[in-house]
Amino acid sequence: MTTSRECGEASGGIVVTGASTGIGLATARELAHRGFHVLAGVRRESEAEALRAPNIEPVIPDITDRDHITALEERVGGSLRALVNNAGIAINAPVEALPMSEWRRQFDVNLFGHIAVTQAAARAATQQEARSQLHLDGGRVAMHAYGAYAGSKFALEAVSDSLRRELASQGVEAIVVAPGAVKTNIAMDGAVTADRIVAAMTADQNRRYGPLMQAIIAHSASFTTNGTPAGEAAKVIAKAATTRNPRTRYTIGRDAAMLTRLSRALPDRLLDRFLAFLLRPHYATGRKAQVHG
């Protein structure tokens, strides 16, 4: 494996977590098409068999399980080109109404699991002469009811910044890829979780947050339905993972680029109002006045 190779040449394996569906699946296939051997992380044996293809080797790691990560590290050995940290879950609910067990589950998967995999990948990367690249999915804007999800992503971006500075002298890159709306099943999965959380709310919480939660579910469904195709997102990730001189950050979709710029340029109160404006059309008739911001 050598840093001088361009993205069309295979030079070491690439690990993609969360490759069962959506962005992860499309990324695994895109990288395999470019000639790289991909270790594609899935959750079930049935998904592994469906994904198996030339240059794609399914693995079944639970990124919150230490033994699974150890097994993945042993499988990777000393041949790692890149790690694409894509696995994740979305648990959306108001800060007050989200049980602590759900906060911990969100951070276990979206933050601590990724850190554990990254630690294993960093050991493999720094033992090689060639440069590997570690990709972390970051975020900069937290909408209503996205406290836990965005919190885990903000933390992951901070970890990536620190990691990039720590590994720079060793020739290892840490890159943040921040997608906007992408056509995946995450909205459907998130809606099921949100419905479960709403059902467990107290009567007072339902009175204060019920309309907001329904608007969030509707917004998320619209957001992903009209988003960037997963295949297009995969091309951005594949380029970031394999180009000779990668940027430190990439965005996917115009919405992600716009929100990133606005978060830097707008005062907090003005950004609050803008996010409330985006959410307002998704409230049920007669409930638009409930939008806060």
Side-chain angles (χ1 to χ4, degrees), residues 214-255:
Q214 295 308 313
I216 286 293
I217 293 170
H219 172 268
S220 181
S222 173
F223 193 60
T224 53
T225 298
N226 299 309
T228 301
E232 293 302 311
K235 291 178 182 178
V236 176
I237 295 170
K239 178 181 179 180
T242 58
T243 193
R244 181 183 298 174
N245 295 306
R247 303 199 301 266
T248 59
R249 282 175 171 77
Y250 292 79
T251 57
I252 297 174
R254 292 180 180 178
D255 53 336

